[in-house]
Amino acid sequence: MANKLPFYIDIHAHHLPATPSNDVLTVLNRLPLDPMPITSNSNVYYSVGWHPWWVNEQSPIDWDNFAFQLQQSNTILVGECGLDHLRGAPLTIQIPIFEQQIRLAQKYQKPIIVHCVRAWSELISLRRSTQNTIPMIIHGFVAKPTVLQMLLSANCHVSFGTALLRSNPVLHHSFRTMPANKLFLETDDSQIPIQEIYQAAAAIRKISVEELSNILHKNWNSLFCNSI
Ligand SMILES: [Zn+2]
């Protein structure tokens, strides 16, 4: 990216900040059926994907149109997409749709933002079977430390959100000890400003917000500096 990065990066959001700020870069999530964005704002990028809650056998997906959307330069992530064992269609329906999104992410060289609930082993085996090398960011991480280790071994990035604001010693320990180069932060569907999440995250890792900002800038550049 040619321009200086904003101080804060929100890697996965369903809303733009209530108070617009040049200090915040937002990756705003869209469904493929949402209207294509018409405004261009250098601090807003998009992810587009079929969320596992909204896929079913009855509504076939227009993959050509989806591929067209992925090729837009301000669309930088595929997703959120993934697997959810507790909600939506059965996994047998979710898996091929996720698989196709992984293939397209690989084809167009766009990292994937992943929603995964209680389907970790299916996720890892899909990552292996599709032989994809495209980065995967697991969003809204709240799972057990053993799951985190499994994801890190599969070379995934992991994004944390508002769960860091609550007292949760196990999650805080995971966040404090995980490798800095795999870390992202997000607001997801909350209205809590990303600045508050940075503050909590920095306190948990016992570093300054500036250091945290540098870490996330490096991680952003490692994924996108050649493509944006
Ligand atoms: Zn989300």
Side-chain angles (χ1 to χ4, degrees):
M1 175 186 258
N3 300 327
K4 195 171 172 292
L5 279 169
F7 188 88
Y8 300 98
I9 297 173
D10 184 351
I11 201 72
H12 178 68
H14 292 262
H15 312 280
L16 287 173
T19 317
S21 160
N22 289 333
D23 287 340
V24 179
L25 185 161
T26 306
V27 183
L28 192 60
N29 196 77
R30 308 175 42 241
L31 282 170
L33 298 177
D34 291 342
M36 298 271 283
I38 43 168
T39 54
S40 89
N41 173 339
S42 61
N43 288 347
V44 182
Y45 292 95
Y46 296 90
S47 57
V48 64
W50 286 103
H51 193 292
W53 293 352
W54 314 126
V55 297
N56 62 59
E57 279 170 304
Q58 280 77 45
S59 40
I61 290 173
D62 180 347
W63 289 111
D64 289 340
N65 179 269
F66 184 65
F68 170 76
Q69 295 193 37
L70 284 188
Q71 291 170 74
Q72 306 310 303
S73 58
N74 58 4
T75 297
I76 59 163
L77 291 174
V78 177
E80 62 181 299
C81 54
L83 303 172
D84 195 321
H85 212 16
L86 299 183
R87 193 170 158 187
L91 283 185
T92 47
I93 290 170
Q94 294 182 22
I95 285 174
I97 292 168
F98 183 37
E99 211 169 7
Q100 178 66 1
Q101 292 180 89
I102 297 173
R103 283 205 200 91
L104 290 170
Q106 183 80 35
K107 179 171 179 187
Y108 296 110
Q109 290 293 298
K110 311 254 172 167
I112 309 171
I113 186 96
V114 176
H115 168 103
C116 187
V117 176
R118 306 260 182 106
W120 301 108
S121 53
E122 290 88 347
L123 171 69
I124 299 294
S125 63
L126 263 185
R127 184 152 173 80
R128 297 214 175 98
S129 66
T130 53
Q131 296 184 321
N132 85 88
T133 51
I134 202 79
M136 276 190 174
I137 306 165
I138 313 303
H139 103 83
F141 186 82
V142 289
K144 289 186 271 191
T146 47
V147 171
L148 182 61
Q149 288 316 317
M150 190 164 88
L151 296 172
L152 293 170
S153 318
N155 205 22
C156 294
H157 289 70
V158 183
S159 173
F160 293 74
T162 55
L164 293 179
L165 302 174
R166 295 187 283 275
S167 165
N168 182 337
V170 174
L171 187 72
H172 286 196
H173 182 264
S174 290
F175 180 75
R176 182 161 48 241
T177 52
M178 75 162 275
N181 66 349
K182 296 292 180 197
L183 197 64
F184 279 105
L185 294 172
E186 64 180 56
T187 54
D188 198 8
D189 57 357
S190 82
Q191 301 279 5
I192 294 172
I194 190 70
Q195 290 90 332
E196 275 186 43
I197 297 172
Y198 266 68
Q199 261 160 20
I204 294 166
R205 279 185 81 97
K206 298 188 168 53
I207 58 177
S208 66
V209 175
E210 286 73 19
E211 285 172 278
L212 185 59
S213 171
N214 287 335
I215 287 170
L216 296 199
H217 281 177
K218 270 193 210 146
N219 296 350
W220 173 274
N221 286 330
S222 77
L223 294 193
F224 302 115
C225 70
N226 295 325
S227 55
I228 294 180

